Amino acid sequence: MELLSDLPVADELAARFAEAGHRLYLVGGSVRDALLGRSSGGDFDLDFTTDARPEQIQRLLSGWADGLWDTGIAFGTVGATKHGRTVEITTFRADSYDGVTRNPEVTFGDTVEGDLVRRDFTVNAMAFDVAARELIDPTGGREALAAMVLDTPATPQQSFGDDPLRMLRAARFVSQIGFTPADRVVEAMTAMAGELERITPERVQQELSKLLCGAHPRRGVELFESTGLAAVVLPELPAMRLEIDEHHQHKDVFDHSLVVLQQAIDLEDEDNSPDLVLRLAALLHDIGKPGTRRFESGGGVSFHHHEVLGAKMVRKRLRALRYSKEVVEEVAQLVYLHLRFHGYGNGEWTDSAVRRYATDAGPLLSRLHKLVRADCTTRNKRKANALQRTYDGLEERIDRLAAEEDLRRVRPDLDGNEIMRLLGLPPGPQVGRAWKFLKELRLDRGPLDRDEAEVELLAWARAEGIGSVGSQAAAGAAWASGGAAAEGVPEGADSAGAPEVE
C-alpha cells in the first residue's frame, strides 16, 4: 500500500539512515491520520523512531538539517528542521515507570514492535517503514481505526498507570476524531481517575484545551465527566448536575451547558480556528448556579447573581490550570456579562445602557453576542425566535451607535493632561477619579463638546472638593492663553477606573 508517499523529507532521511545501516519509521498521528484520510503530506510535523542511538542520530542529521537541537536527548529524542518542516527522531524506547511520579526510567529498545506496544493507544501504535513502504501494526491499530474504536496496546490499567494523562487524552481523541472508547478503557478511566492528580496542571491544561477545540467536544466532555476525570481536573463541571425533584423543577445545568457549548460552536466563524475562549465560556457560563440556587415559595428556583460568583470561580479554576492571564480574564468577563442582556426586555434600554453593554464587553463583544445567542436553549420555538429577534435589535442599536460614536474607543472627552490642567492637580488618584467621572458621563450622554465637558468636570470637582477655585481659575486662564501641557502624567491616567471582575 502506498502511504504518505509525498514526503521528500522523510525519503531523504530514510536514505541517509539506511546508508548508515539503520532503519527509520514514521510514527504517531501522521500515520493514523493518513489512514483516516485526514492528511496528504501537508505541513504537519513528523515524528520518527529508529534503532540508531541518540548520538548516532545527531551525527546523521548534522550537515543535513537546516537546524538541530538536542533538548530531549536524555529521552532519546533529537529535533531538526529541513525545508521548513520540523522533524523529531527518537530511539526505540522500552521504558518502565515508577507508578508514583510518572517519571520513566529511560531505556532504549531494539525493535520497532517493542517500541510500539508501549504507546498510548493502538491507533497510535502503528509505524510506517519509509524505505520499505511497509506498515508495521503489531497491536491491531488498523483494525481499530476502521472500527473507530479507541483501545490500548497493553491493558488499560498498565497504560494509564504508566501515564495517567492518557485517560484525558482518550477523551481528547473522542472529541478530535470521534472515536468510541472500548468498554475496558472506560472502566479503567473510571477506576483510575484519581491518578490524574499526579500530572502537572500544565500538561492537563494542554489536553483539556485540545479536547474543547476538537470537532466533537460534547462527546469528549461527556466522557470526561462520566468517568470522574472532571471531578479531579474541573470539579465545578460535575457539580452542575443539580438534583431536581418534583417540587422544584429547572433545567439540568450540566446538560444545558453542553447544549450551549454546541450552539456556540455552531456560531463560530467557519474560516477561523476553534475559539477556545468562547468554548470555555460556553461550557462554564453557569458554574455559579450550584452555589446560588435558592428554593422559592411556590416551588420556584432562583440563581440570583450566579454570573458574579461564576466569574470568580472561573478565574480561580483557570488560574489553577495555568491558563494564560489573557484567557482567564476573557473567559471570566464573558461569564460575568452573559446574563446582562436579559434585562433588555423588549428593547427598553436607553442608549446609555447600550453603550455600557458594548463598552464593558470591549473587544469581547462579538464573542458575547455568540454566547448570549447560544444560551437560548428553550424548546419553545416562538420564545426562542422572539429572543433572537430581540437580540438582533440590540446588535443593530450597537452598530448604529458604534457608527455614530466609535464605541470601540469610548473615552472621556478630556484626557489626563487636560484634567490636571483644569483642576490644578498633580498626577495621582484624584486624576483617575476625574477620568472615571468623565467616562461615565460619556457613556450616559454620548460625546460632549469640549466646553460641555469642561463645565461638567469643574462642577463635579467643586462638589467633590477636588482642586481649589483658584487653581481652577488659573487653569482656565491657562487654557484661554494656550498654556503648555502638564508634565508627568502617570502612565494609565487615560484608562483609570476599569475594575477587575471579582
Side-chain angles (χ1 to χ4, degrees), residues 116-125 138-141 144 149-163 166-167 169-170 173 180-186 188-189 192:
L116 294 175
V117 297
R118 55 168 286 280
R119 293 177 180 263
D120 55 1
F121 301 105
T122 58
V123 294
N124 296 329
T139 67
V149 172
L150 197 66
D151 204 350
T152 52
T155 67
Q157 290 78 10
Q158 180 181 338
S159 181
F160 300 155
D162 285 348
D163 185 358
R166 289 173 173 175
M167 294 185 286
R169 196 173 294 145
F173 285 130
T180 297
D183 289 344
R184 68 173 192 161
V185 168
V186 176
M189 290 170 68
M192 301 176 66

Side-chain angles (χ1 to χ4, degrees), residues 4 7 26 29-31 34 38-46 85-86:
L4 295 165
L7 287 174
L26 190 64
S30 56
V31 176
R38 298 179 75 217
S39 62
S40 57
D43 59 356
F44 50 85
D45 296 343
L46 299 176
R85 187 187 290 275
T86 298

Side-chain angles (χ1 to χ4, degrees), residues 319-380:
R319 283 172 177 167
L321 287 170
R322 305 293 194 270
Y323 277 98
S324 69
K325 181 178 179 180
E326 180 181 14
V327 168
V328 171
E329 295 306 319
E330 289 180 346
V331 176
Q333 184 71 348
L334 286 171
V335 171
Y336 180 71
L337 293 174
H338 85 274
L339 207 60
R340 186 176 293 184
F341 163 71
H342 294 283
Y344 187 70
N346 293 316
E348 291 88 355
W349 278 3
T350 62
D351 282 354
S352 171
V354 174
R355 289 188 196 99
R356 290 177 187 278
Y357 184 79
T359 302
D360 288 349
L364 296 173
L365 184 60
S366 64
R367 285 177 169 137
L368 182 60
H369 289 333
K370 295 181 177 72
L371 178 59
V372 172
R373 290 183 181 277
D375 196 24
C376 175
T377 60
T378 178
R379 295 180 182 178
N380 185 320

Side-chain angles (χ1 to χ4, degrees), residues 88-137:
E88 287 192 345
I89 306 175
T90 303
T91 302
F92 296 155
R93 295 270 289 273
D95 302 339
S96 60
Y97 293 80
D98 61 18
V100 178
T101 65
R102 197 267 155 192
N103 293 326
E105 179 184 342
V106 179
T107 57
F108 298 131
D110 298 314
T111 67
V112 66
E113 291 81 6
D115 177 273
L116 294 175
V117 297
R118 55 168 286 280
R119 293 177 180 263
D120 55 1
F121 301 105
T122 58
V123 294
N124 296 329
M126 296 178 285
F128 182 62
D129 186 328
V130 181
R133 289 291 193 271
E134 178 185 2
L135 183 70
I136 313 297
D137 181 17

Side-chain angles (χ1 to χ4, degrees), residues 171-190:
R172 188 247 288 187
F173 285 130
V174 167
S175 169
Q176 284 186 325
I177 302 177
F179 288 122
T180 297
D183 289 344
R184 68 173 192 161
V185 168
V186 176
E187 292 169 4
M189 290 170 68
T190 304

